[in-house]
Each structure stands twice: as structure tokens, then as C-alpha cells.
């Protein structure tokens, strides 16, 4: 990096060279205090340095209506997406997960929600050219322990899943080093996680936040009489997540559970039978209003008399678009295999 091209104080340029800092990325990965200690600069000079290098990375944020209509800038937040690592799934979502907003992935147990979440944590680390964001991911677990063994399987099989990416690029990415795992068993701990999360996003160390799952945070702490308080918490957390997503152009993916939809007549008869796909995402209308995109994952159970009825790693599932401002209601089939989640054409 030729620091002489930057509009900086000669003293700052000399300090950069002496500290052997060779890229803007190295600067932005350090906090102001760390940078000040390393370069032995005043607080004012350090802030000026950070402001100057940040402006070099910032694109022109002013776009006219005509430019948006003509799509002159394909890398605006409106158009750029995070790939799911599969052409079929990306086609369903018109490119992938939007960078700004909250995307919910709801579904029953064993539908493959966590598998998709882990795959996204790997996809975000790929170069922009291959649908990634060249950064890490934050995975917040609220109930189960983080599935580290399954993650390692996916890392080992990336060359099979991502045949579109040259092998030398896959080998250079240290996937496991760029996934930050947090455990949050209650709302207070989750609030603390969000505070630490903002620091990671500000330093550019992560560009994906995945919460697995939202419903677990509210299952034990709120009863039927606490509906109003629960709604206030959901609105507050939704607003906080939206703020982080907008400020750092970071997709927020929330895994959610589902509840059975029981009609009044079935409830009166105390019917406990399973009713096809009649399930609804948990947390109600208050949480639904916080979402940009809602996806529903389902596992297709074959009839018992079918020779293929036994569950297997390749069992067929569906991923459906429930609502999104830019997508029609649609679905595709997919399977969960050793190398990851793969759509079926």
C-alpha cells in the first residue's frame, strides 16, 4: 500500500511505515486504542487516520432514482446478496440472503435449519466473486451446544460442495478461525452478546449474524400473562438487530421454531394428531413484523409402507418463501448430505 497517496500528515505516514502496516484492512481490524499504542500517535492523529482510510473504502452513498432503476451499481445493499452455496437455493432467493434486514428460517425439528445456518457461516467467508462477503460470522446459540463436529465435516467437504470455487482459494480460507460462537441462555446474556457483537462488526471481523434460535430465549421466561412484556422485548431486540444490520450492511439470520396450528373444533375434541404441514412460526405477529424475509423449511416424511421411508441423510426437504418484499411465494426441494445442503433441480 502506497501511504503517500493518502491525505495524511507526514508524521502519520512515517508511523505507518515504521509499524509495518501494509493495508487498510490491518488498520480497521485494530481498535483506536490499539492503533494509538502501536503507532505511538496522539488520539487526534489516530482518529484522523481511521476517518481517512474509512472514506477510501466507502462507496458513493448518494444514488439517484434513475441509477437505481438502471441498476448502475450492482453492489448496493439492495442488490448484493449472501449466497447459500448452492445454485438451486440461490435461484429460489434471487441471489441469496439480503444484506440488510432480518431473515427468519423457521421449521420443525430435523428440517435442516441448523445445517443451512452452518453453511451460511462458511459461505460468508468466500470472496465477493463467489457470493461471499470476505468476512467472518457470529453464531449465537440459545439452547443447544454449538455443533462443532458437524462444522468440521462441512469444512473438510467444501471442495465437493463448492465445485465452482478454485481449490487454491478454498485452501487459503481458514474457515474455523472466522466463526465466533456465543452462548446465550437468557435475555440478559443475549443483550450482552449484542454489545460484543457490535464491536466485531465495527472492526470488520464479521458480516453475518446467526441466532439459533430466537424462540428459546422467550420459552421459559414468559407465560401467557406476560404477552405485553414479551412483545416489548421482541420489538426492542428487533429494532437493535435492524440497527446493526443497517449500520454494517450485515445480514441477520434468525432460526425459529414452529407450533402446531390447531383449529377450534380440534381443540374442543382434544385432538392431538399431527396435521400435515399446518404449523406456524413461533413468537407471533409481533416478531413477524420485525422480519424482512420469512423462509420455512420442512422435511417430507414418506409413507411407512414405502421402501424409502426410513430416515436417511439424503431425505428430501423443502425450502419455501413465506413472504419477502422482492420474492413471490415459491419453494424448492433440497437434501442434507455429508458435504452440506444441496438443492434439487
Amino acid at each position: 500500500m502506497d501511504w503517500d497517496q493518502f491525505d495524511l500528515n507526514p508524521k502519520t505516514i512515517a508511523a505507518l511505515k515504521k509499524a509495518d502496516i501494509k493495508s487498510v484492512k490491518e488498520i480497521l481490524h485494530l481498535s483506536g486504542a490499539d492503533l494509538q499504542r502501536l503507532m505511538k500517535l496522539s488520539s487526534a492523529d489516530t482518529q484522523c487516520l481511521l476517518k481517512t482510510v474509512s472514506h477510501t473504502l466507502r462507496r458513493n452513498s448518494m444514488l439517484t432514482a434513475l441509477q437505481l432503476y438502471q441498476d448502475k451499481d450492482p453492489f448496493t445493499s439492495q442488490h448484493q446478496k449472501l449466497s447459500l452455496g448452492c445454485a438451486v437455493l440461490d435461484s429460489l432467493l434471487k441471489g441469496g440472503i439480503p444484506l440488510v434486514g432480518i431473515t427468519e428460517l423457521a421449521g420443525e425439528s430435523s428440517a435442516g435449519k441448523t445445517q443451512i445456518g452452518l453453511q451460511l457461516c462458511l459461505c460468508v467467508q468466500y470472496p465477493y466473486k463467489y457470493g461471499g462477503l470476505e468476512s467472518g460470522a457470529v453464531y449465537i446459540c440459545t439452547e443447544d451446544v454449538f455443533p462443532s463436529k458437524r462444522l468440521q465435516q462441512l469444512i473438510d467437504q467444501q471442495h465437493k460442495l463448492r465445485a465452482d470455487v478454485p481449490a487454491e482459494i478454498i485452501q487459503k480460507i481458514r474457515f474455523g478461525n472466522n466463526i465466533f460462537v456465543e452462548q446465550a441462555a437468557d435475555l440478559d446474556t443475549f443483550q450482552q452478546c449484542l454489545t460484543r457483537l457490535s464491536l466485531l462488526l465495527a472492526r470488520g471481523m464479521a458480516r453475518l449474524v446467526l441466532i439459533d434460535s430466537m424462540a428459546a430465549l422467550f420459552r421459559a421466561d414468559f407465560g401467557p400473562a406476560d404477552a405485553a412484556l414479551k412483545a416489548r422485548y421482541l420489538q426492542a431486540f428487533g429494532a437493535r438487530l435492524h440497527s446493526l444490520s443497517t449500520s454494517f450492511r450485515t445480514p441477520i439470520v434468525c432460526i425459529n421454531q414452529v407450533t402446531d396450528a390447531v383449529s377450534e373444533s380440534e381443540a374442543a375434541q382434544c385432538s392431538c394428531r399431527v396435521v400435515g404441514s399446518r404449523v406456524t412460526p413461533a413468537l407471533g405477529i409481533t416478531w413477524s413484523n420485525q422480519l424482512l424475509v420469512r423462509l420455512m423449511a420442512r422435511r417430507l416424511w414418506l409413507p411407512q409402507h414405502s421402501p424409502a421411508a426410513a430416515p436417511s441423510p439424503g431425505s428430501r426437504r423443502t425450502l419455501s418463501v413465506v413472504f419477502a418484499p422482492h420474492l413471490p411465494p415459491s419453494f424448492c426441494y433440497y437434501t442434507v448430505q455429508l458435504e452440506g445442503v444441496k438443492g434439487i433441480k
Side-chain angles (χ1 to χ4, degrees), residues 155-342:
I155 292 173
D156 294 340
Q157 299 292 322
Q158 280 298 289
H159 63 284
K160 293 183 179 179
L161 180 71
R162 299 304 301 270
D164 58 312
V165 182
E168 57 270 19
I169 292 179
I170 296 177
Q171 292 170 0
K172 288 180 181 178
I173 301 174
R174 297 291 179 261
F175 291 104
N177 295 345
N178 298 314
I179 299 176
F180 305 92
V181 180
E182 290 274 7
Q183 294 286 155
D186 54 56
L187 293 176
D188 291 336
T189 310
F190 184 65
Q191 180 70 38
Q192 295 170 6
C193 285
L194 294 185
T195 302
R196 293 192 293 271
L197 172 61
S198 61
L199 296 176
L200 286 173
L201 297 179
R203 295 184 182 186
M205 300 174 71
R207 287 288 303 281
L208 170 68
V209 178
L210 200 141
I211 303 170
D212 186 5
S213 66
M214 281 301 295
L217 291 169
F218 295 87
R219 185 190 303 126
D221 294 344
F222 297 93
D226 302 319
L229 179 60
K230 177 180 176 182
R232 286 198 293 271
Y233 269 103
L234 285 169
Q235 289 173 337
F237 283 130
R240 183 74 184 278
L241 293 172
H242 269 293
S243 176
L244 291 171
S245 179
T246 303
S247 299
F248 300 104
R249 296 179 68 243
T250 296
I252 309 289
V253 178
C254 296
I255 292 176
N256 196 6
Q257 299 162 2
V258 294
T259 57
D260 287 320
V262 181
S263 67
E264 292 183 4
S265 59
E266 290 169 342
Q269 298 171 8
C270 298
S271 174
C272 298
R273 62 191 178 88
V274 177
V275 188
S277 61
R278 288 176 53 188
V279 294
T280 183
L283 300 178
I285 190 66
T286 302
W287 174 246
S288 298
N289 289 334
Q290 311 300 316
L291 305 176
L292 176 71
V293 178
R294 168 168 279 167
L295 306 175
M296 180 73 78
R298 291 188 177 93
R299 182 169 184 169
L300 302 181
W301 298 100
L302 298 175
Q304 291 297 325
H305 60 270
S306 170
S312 68
S315 296
R316 184 171 293 195
R317 297 162 167 86
T318 62
L319 183 65
S320 307
V321 177
V322 179
F323 63 73
H326 61 295
L327 298 172
S330 53
F331 74 96
C332 73
Y333 295 103
Y334 71 93
T335 60
V336 178
Q337 301 179 11
L338 178 64
E339 60 266 31
V341 178
K342 301 178 73 173

Side-chain angles (χ1 to χ4, degrees), residues 131-146:
L133 299 176
E134 298 183 6
S135 190
V138 178
Y139 198 109
I140 302 177
C141 303
T142 63
E143 45 185 344
D144 295 327
V145 295
F146 181 74

